[in-house]
Amino acid sequence: MASKRGALIVLEGVDRAGKTTQCNKLVQALIERGRPAEMMRFPDRSTTIGQLISAYLQKKSDLEDHTVHLLFSANRWELVPVMKKKLEQGITLVVDRYAFSGVAFTSAKPGFSLDWCMKPDEGLPKPDLVMFLQLNPAEAALRGQFGTERYETSAFQKAVHERFEQLMKDSSVNWKVIDASQNIEGVHNDIRTHSLNVFNEAQNTPLGELWR
Ligand code: Z5A
């Protein structure tokens, strides 16, 4: 009998919402429960495309806005074969940012529609669950100042947040909003519960295609 596939779980949210902290904790919790799990993050700065993106984010290079959007998408597509293989092997992937960040960040720039921004990511492996870590700017500020990378300003992050709100209206995606203002363990408990709830369905349904 073919083995059951792993689940594809994505964490999204604005700057300093705790995505990386929570991805690590979820992977650890799943492994402790005997479920093979691995973390991935986008952008994946280790590839050639990822290095172009990293230089752009660090303001070491400038890229035209459409071009960098397509590079972020290409960075996801180049990892699709790896993702599919791991999922087929029964490994659950916990992903720190995905296509939703891609759309929210680019469409927050002037002159970009959500529709245009979604097109390049159409057909990516569809997450079984996308958790949005909700945190207001005042609470995020308590976690330290913005970094020095591109996009790390309060006005831009507010525009990004609005685009995420629009994306969350799409009922074809299994969104769950998490109150990220709780302490780390409180957020983790919510995330773990939602994640464990999607396992059965994920194991019994084929991997879908995003936005198709
Ligand atoms: N981007 C894009 O434009 N297009 C795309 O397609 C994609 C991304 C995929 C990548 O940044 C940038 O690229 C990002 C979007 C854009 N730009 N911005 N902004 P990144 O992935 O390298 O870094 P990041 O995602 O921006 O990281 P982050 O948002 O700054 O952090 P986080 O992962 O959400 O939070 P954290 O590192 O887990 O925690 C932050 C701090 O808060 C840390 O000190 C923690 O200890 C603390 N923390 C965490 N949780 C709590 C709680 N619950 N209470 C108190 N303190 C906490």
Side-chain angles (χ1 to χ4, degrees):
M1 197 174 81
S3 64
K4 306 255 185 188
R5 75 166 172 93
L8 178 57
I9 297 173
V10 169
L11 267 68
E12 287 282 8
V14 289
D15 207 51
R16 291 164 298 164
K19 299 175 295 298
T20 306
T21 305
Q22 294 298 334
C23 282
N24 282 317
K25 284 186 73 70
L26 180 58
V27 167
Q28 199 186 332
L30 293 175
I31 291 171
E32 280 166 9
R33 282 166 179 72
R35 296 185 187 272
E38 289 181 21
M39 179 173 164
M40 293 183 78
R41 67 178 310 146
F42 290 109
D44 179 333
R45 303 189 193 213
S46 69
T47 70
T48 304
I49 294 171
Q51 283 162 22
L52 291 174
I53 294 171
S54 186
Y56 169 81
L57 287 171
Q58 293 171 62
K59 301 180 191 158
K60 290 180 181 164
S61 69
D62 281 321
L63 288 168
E64 193 275 334
D65 287 331
H66 299 79
T67 310
V68 76
H69 182 74
L70 296 172
L71 285 177
F72 272 112
S73 178
N75 184 232
R76 286 182 278 279
W77 280 108
E78 67 178 333
L79 286 154
V80 166
V82 174
M83 292 173 76
K84 285 190 170 168
K85 188 160 182 207
K86 286 184 187 287
L87 291 167
E88 276 163 20
Q89 289 170 341
I91 298 169
T92 286
L93 296 178
V94 177
V95 184
D96 188 347
R97 293 195 188 272
Y98 198 50
F100 313 98
S101 278
V103 175
F105 277 76
T106 303
S107 65
K109 297 177 178 179
F112 285 89
S113 69
L114 278 192
D115 276 357
W116 187 88
C117 293
M118 288 161 84
K119 283 283 174 222
D121 285 309
E122 262 184 32
L124 278 179
K126 180 177 176 177
D128 298 292
L129 171 66
V130 187
M131 288 176 278
F132 183 78
L133 274 58
Q134 184 85 266
L135 188 69
N136 71 42
E139 281 159 332
L142 295 175
R143 298 185 183 173
Q145 298 303 307
F146 283 114
T148 54
E149 288 205 332
R150 211 179 280 268
Y151 304 145
E152 294 183 331
T153 65
S154 55
F156 193 73
Q157 293 288 330
K158 185 169 176 285
V160 169
H161 192 270
E162 285 166 10
R163 298 312 185 280
F164 272 123
E165 296 277 351
Q166 281 176 268
L167 286 172
M168 280 190 271
K169 289 180 186 155
D170 173 7
S171 58
S172 77
V173 173
N174 182 17
W175 285 99
K176 298 280 181 245
V177 177
I178 306 292
D179 175 7
S181 69
Q182 306 172 77
N183 65 26
I184 290 175
E185 281 309 314
V187 179
H188 172 63
N189 287 342
D190 287 357
I191 286 176
R192 197 186 52 222
T193 303
H194 287 302
S195 301
L196 292 172
N197 284 344
V198 294
F199 269 99
N200 273 348
E201 200 177 330
Q203 288 183 336
N204 294 308
T205 46
L207 187 63
E209 294 185 334
L210 183 63
W211 295 325
R212 273 199 183 140

